[in-house]
């Protein structure tokens, strides 16, 4: 069943959550998968830089507004699961806490990489909070690999030509790209496992900076301010 949700609009996200709640359905799996890549400098309707606003803040707000439903739906033996799709680009990403909107100097590559690093930091902090609360919910982050989708529409024309010529050899199909997200969502092997970075259906190491707990906390607090929700996590270690 389709419900409309524009991840680039805080209003749309809140309306979506209201419509979903009205159905009184359980929520066992949430996959955060929306994204843009290398778009020219522009803002969402809420005034956020588009990479950061859509790729990261939209998922941050959506997940937080659905957390209580996820907690109610999970059980000791079958935990609810949150899967967030990041990218290997996060390895070269830098988080500029004083300029999350990339106002000082905009770079499509830098803004995209920052948004993907933010998703990893968010996932690790979220799992820490879920564990501290004893919630029957796990949070993991996925790297789908290089997938042949329309995500590359804003790259240079030369790159588009190379992609067109080599996609059959170097790129995953959308189905192949989705496999690790599906693995994280339904595999019995992932039952109860949280705070993992997954690539090709295996746990692997993310960027060193992503494990910085102080950075995780600071990003979480700032994100709460930006989307207008209370930072209940501030009362936890």
């Amino acid at each position: 069943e389709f419900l409309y949700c524009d991840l680039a609009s805080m209003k749309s996200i809140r309306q979506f959550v209201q419509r979903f709640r009205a159905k009184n359905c359980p929520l066992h799996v949430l996959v955060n998968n929306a994204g843009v890549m290398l778009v020219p400098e522009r803002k969402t309707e809420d005034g956020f830089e588009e990479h950061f606003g859509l790729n990261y803040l939209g998922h941050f707000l959506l997940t937080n507004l659905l957390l209580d439903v996820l907690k109610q739906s999970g059980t000791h033996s079958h935990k609810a699961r949150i899967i967030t799709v990041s990218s290997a680009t996060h390895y070269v990403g830098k988080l500029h806490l004083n300029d999350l909107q990339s106002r000082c100097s905009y770079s499509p590559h830098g803004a995209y990489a920052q948004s993907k690093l933010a998703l990893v930091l968010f996932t690790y902090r979220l799992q820490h909070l879920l564990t501290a609360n004893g919630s029957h919910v796990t949070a993991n982050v996925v790297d789908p690999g290089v997938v042949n989708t329309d995500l590359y529409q804003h790259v240079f024309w030369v790159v588009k030509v190379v992609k067109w010529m080599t996609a059959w050899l170097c790129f995953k199909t959308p189905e192949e790209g989705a496999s690790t997200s599906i693995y994280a969502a339904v595999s019995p092997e992932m039952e109860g496992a949280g705070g993992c970075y997954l690539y090709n259906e295996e746990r692997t190491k993310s960027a060193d900076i992503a494990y910085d707990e102080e950075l995780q906390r600071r990003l979480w607090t700032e994100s709460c301010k930006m989307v207008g929700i209370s930072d209940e996590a501030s009362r936890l270690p």
Side-chain angles (χ1 to χ4, degrees), residues 8-48:
S9 165
M10 302 294 119
K11 179 180 179 181
S12 178
I13 293 169
R14 293 179 183 277
Q15 290 175 339
F16 165 80
V17 172
Q18 286 182 338
R19 289 193 294 268
F20 179 81
R21 287 178 177 277
K23 294 181 175 295
N24 293 315
C25 295
L27 179 57
H28 299 104
V29 178
L30 172 64
V31 181
N32 292 318
N33 187 52
V36 292
M37 184 177 77
L38 307 183
V39 296
E41 186 173 10
R42 59 194 188 197
K43 297 179 180 180
T44 68
E45 65 178 47
D46 301 287
F48 300 124

Side-chain angles (χ1 to χ4, degrees), residues 84-104:
T84 297
V85 179
S86 181
S87 162
T89 311
H90 91 275
Y91 286 105
V92 297
K94 295 181 180 179
L95 195 78
H96 302 285
L97 278 171
N98 297 324
D99 187 26
L100 292 172
Q101 304 302 318
S102 303
R103 294 191 178 100
C104 292

